[in-house]
Amino acid sequence: MIFVWAEDQQHGIGYQGTLPWHLPADLAFFKKTTTGHTLVSGSRTFASYKKPLPNRKHVVLTNDCETPYPDGVVVLHHVDEVLAYEREHPDETLMISGGAQVFASLLPYVKTLIRTRVAHTFKVDTVMPTIDYTQFELVDSQVRAADDRNPYELTFERWERK
Ligand SMILES: NC(=O)c1ccc[n+]([C@@H]2O[C@H](COP(=O)([O-])OP(=O)(O)OC[C@H]3O[C@@H](n4cnc5c(N)ncnc54)[C@H](OP(=O)(O)O)[C@@H]3O)[C@@H](O)[C@H]2O)c1
């Protein structure tokens, strides 16, 4: 499974149920990276999408057995169910899209990290769990300069578990 997220210079990822920033270049990167794959998200992150994102299968992790989800959304209630889903769907690439609680739950199992670093520090209430990067190798890193619509430099990184 793959983690995909964007973080600021202090590992901040969220504020008041949404992203702390508006960066169309990172949204485009997220769309390109995740299209055609299976997105696994916590109920809070899924709610932040407002509706299922097109051309992606959605798996939502929640303890709640009552709240209905849109047709086609797979609702799971435990990390073990995510691991079973991965085993039973070897043709699907699981892209874990957060948030912090879900990243923390699945950190022992992740093979690939796709991280966007945003060169700024924002007001946040949600931070990425601590990742031991010595267990991973940086295999790709692309810097994108700031521009009018994306006022901070972005670095798109890919790490593979050693
Ligand atoms: N910058 C980024 O790349 C990025 C990525 C994703 C999210 N975010 C931001 O992060 C914030 C949301 O993150 P968050 O950590 O607060 O919430 P989250 O991880 O999206 O969702 C938390 C909820 O998911 C369910 N959940 C999580 N782990 C579970 C487990 N092991 N078993 C069963 N259910 C589990 C629970 O749902 P129930 O309460 O329904 O039981 C929990 O309350 C938002 O601000 C969002 O915009 C940022």
Side-chain angles (χ1 to χ4, degrees):
M1 64 177 65
I2 298 174
F3 282 6
V4 54
W5 81 100
E7 65 177 39
D8 78 359
Q9 289 172 326
Q10 303 291 330
H11 311 293
I13 64 166
Y15 185 61
Q16 296 188 336
T18 186
L19 298 174
W21 47 75
H22 177 66
L23 294 166
D26 191 55
L27 293 178
F29 177 80
F30 181 79
K31 183 177 177 184
K32 186 183 74 176
T33 303
T34 60
T35 289
H37 300 302
T38 300
L39 275 187
V40 180
S41 51
S43 62
R44 291 195 64 206
T45 294
F46 184 76
S48 77
Y49 298 152
K50 309 290 187 206
K51 57 184 178 184
L53 302 176
N55 305 316
R56 279 148 281 192
K57 189 166 177 181
H58 285 271
V59 172
V60 175
L61 200 49
T62 174
N63 299 296
D64 179 0
C65 299
E66 307 296 323
T67 305
Y69 279 86
D71 283 352
V73 174
V74 176
V75 180
L76 302 179
H77 301 292
H78 197 277
V79 165
D80 290 346
E81 293 181 12
V82 178
L83 300 177
Y85 183 96
E86 187 178 41
R87 274 195 308 275
E88 290 158 11
H89 297 81
D91 51 324
E92 294 182 25
T93 300
L94 265 56
M95 299 230 154
I96 315 302
S97 66
Q101 289 188 36
V102 167
F103 287 135
S105 299
L106 294 173
L107 189 52
Y109 312 104
V110 69
K111 297 283 190 298
T112 303
L113 309 174
I114 298 180
R115 167 171 80 159
T116 302
R117 283 170 39 219
V118 183
H120 190 72
T121 300
F122 295 83
K123 183 170 184 176
V124 299
D125 58 21
T126 310
V127 295
M128 203 58 197
T130 302
I131 295 177
D132 177 3
Y133 284 94
T134 66
Q135 296 181 10
F136 295 85
E137 180 186 4
L138 182 64
V139 296
D140 192 35
S141 180
Q142 308 278 343
V143 177
R144 183 193 184 284
D147 61 25
D148 285 354
R149 297 182 69 215
N150 302 272
Y152 315 103
E153 183 183 273
L154 302 176
T155 306
F156 302 105
E157 295 177 347
R158 185 181 184 100
W159 298 73
E160 298 291 349
R161 196 181 278 280
K162 289 176 184 167

